[in-house]
Amino acid sequence: MASLPEQAVRPRPRTQAPKARTRWAELVEPYLYLAPSLALLAIFTFYPIVRSIYLSLFLTDPLGRPRVFVGLEHYANTLSSTFLQSMGVTLLFVFYTVPVGLLLGLALALLAHQPLRGTRLFQLIFSSPLAVSAAIGSTIWVMLLNPVSGILNYLLGYVGIGRVHWLTDPRWALPAVGMVSIWLRLGFNFVLMLSALQNVPEELLEAAVVDGAGFWAKTRHITLPMISPTLFFAAVVGVIHAFQVFAEIDIMTSGGPSNATNTVVYRIYQVAFRQYEFGAASAQAILLFIVMVILTYLQFRLGERRVHYQ
């Protein structure tokens, strides 16, 4: 058998151009997929943050245009003004709404998850607040909480409780708005918890029943650990939502009475769009952003240790 010429069997040297083009495509292609999302984030998230930081260093005219550079003066004035009082009201609002909202959503989800007749109807009723906007829900509750014609005082009268001025008494205004906020968030918490419960493996629950575990034992030792990631997510989102509450405050109390419901976000709205001090409002928004970042970080540091991931 005749041997092939040496040039015919020698492998051709590989050119570097196709390999370089492949590597370049691998580097660029993911960013092309991310480009629409990055563009939206840049326009609606990053630019407002940068613009707020810039405005917080200036005195502005009524149209929001920076006029006089004042440095950190707005931050110093914010920390010495009623901003801290509004922060206290906001923290109290978080304390009122987040734990109660989570416990109520979990209790209703556990009830609707039981193999009973009519659970579909209960699921529909419990999730219905999800379809109600904050503006409509707040308007309805303003009528229900009316001290003269509201049905809530009418029902309380049957058990001997006198007329309560829910939205005009500083002692009751914040709990009343918190109650409405809990109701508006109930559908979201309920659907979230019910979805988590439906993903708990039936084999674990059946094995617990064979070992003689009752409802509370199964809930404590199996159900709650299995849905702990969902509980943690709902707690983080609930705190963020409570810090950003606005529609209920604006429609039901407008920050009153006596600033009892004047949360930080509503105060920023008043400073920016009623007093036209956009620089001071921007400084308060940046401080609120820092507080929320710190609280979210603490939630992850302290709460994530109790979360059970499969």
Side-chain angles (χ1 to χ4, degrees):
M1 183 176 180
S3 61
L4 295 174
E6 183 178 354
Q7 291 182 347
V9 298
R10 183 182 300 170
R12 292 183 177 180
R14 294 182 178 178
T15 58
Q16 299 298 323
K19 188 175 182 180
R21 283 198 295 271
T22 303
R23 177 177 293 179
W24 174 253
E26 290 176 351
L27 288 175
V28 172
E29 188 177 5
Y31 293 101
L32 292 178
Y33 290 123
L34 291 174
S37 299
L38 291 176
L40 292 176
L41 284 173
I43 294 172
F44 296 107
T45 301
F46 300 136
Y47 173 73
I49 293 175
V50 174
R51 181 68 177 175
S52 296
I53 295 174
Y54 175 72
L55 286 180
S56 69
L57 305 177
F58 288 86
L59 284 175
T60 61
D61 62 13
L63 296 178
R65 293 174 295 197
R67 292 304 184 191
V68 181
F69 180 76
V70 294
L72 300 178
E73 184 177 332
H74 286 314
Y75 293 93
N77 293 336
T78 296
L79 294 177
S80 61
S81 67
T82 55
F83 177 82
L84 296 180
Q85 179 189 358
S86 297
M87 183 59 72
V89 173
T90 305
L91 292 175
L92 198 58
F93 184 80
V94 173
F95 177 75
Y96 282 160
T97 58
V98 176
V100 177
L102 291 178
L103 290 175
L104 194 57
L106 177 61
L108 294 179
L110 287 171
L111 177 63
H113 188 58
Q114 300 304 310
L116 303 173
R117 293 184 63 182
T119 51
R120 294 288 183 185
L121 178 61
F122 284 121
Q123 292 175 7
L124 177 63
I125 294 173
F126 295 154
S127 59
S128 59
L130 197 60
V132 180
S133 69
I136 294 176
S138 301
T139 304
I140 293 173
W141 275 96
V142 166
M143 293 186 286
L144 297 177
L145 296 174
N146 188 289
V148 178
S149 58
I151 191 173
L152 193 57
N153 275 353
Y154 180 76
L155 295 175
L156 291 177
Y158 277 105
V159 293
I161 299 178
R163 183 177 298 174
V164 179
H165 295 265
W166 295 100
L167 302 179
T168 55
D169 189 335
R171 296 172 301 172
W172 289 105
L174 192 63
V177 176
M179 178 175 62
V180 175
S181 182
I182 290 171
W183 179 77
L184 288 170
R185 292 279 298 176
L186 184 60
F188 175 78
N189 287 332
F190 169 75
V191 171
L192 203 63
M193 305 289 181
L194 186 61
S195 301
L197 290 175
Q198 290 174 343
N199 288 325
V200 176
E202 289 293 333
E203 299 81 11
L204 294 177
L205 299 174
E206 292 172 358
V209 172
V210 172
D211 291 339
F215 173 78
W216 294 113
K218 287 191 299 181
T219 302
R220 178 183 176 186
H221 298 293
I222 297 177
T223 304
L224 291 181
M226 295 299 292
I227 68 170
S228 56
T230 302
L231 290 172
F232 179 68
F233 169 77
V236 173
V237 174
V239 170
I240 294 174
H241 174 267
F243 264 92
Q244 296 176 337
V245 65
F246 176 79
E248 300 95 304
I249 301 290
D250 186 42
I251 293 173
M252 300 182 71
T253 61
S254 297
S258 303
N259 291 323
T261 60
N262 196 9
T263 59
V264 173
V265 169
Y266 195 76
R267 175 179 168 76
I268 292 172
Y269 161 75
Q270 289 178 315
V271 173
F273 299 104
R274 292 187 179 178
Q275 303 173 11
Y276 300 104
E277 298 178 3
F278 294 98
S282 298
Q284 295 178 17
I286 296 301
L287 289 176
L288 175 62
F289 173 74
I290 294 172
V291 170
M292 292 180 65
V293 169
I294 293 173
L295 286 179
T296 305
Y297 172 76
L298 291 177
Q299 280 186 288
F300 272 89
R301 289 285 297 178
L302 301 177
E304 205 171 23
R305 299 174 183 173
R306 299 180 180 276
V307 176
H308 171 74
Y309 294 105
Q310 296 185 37

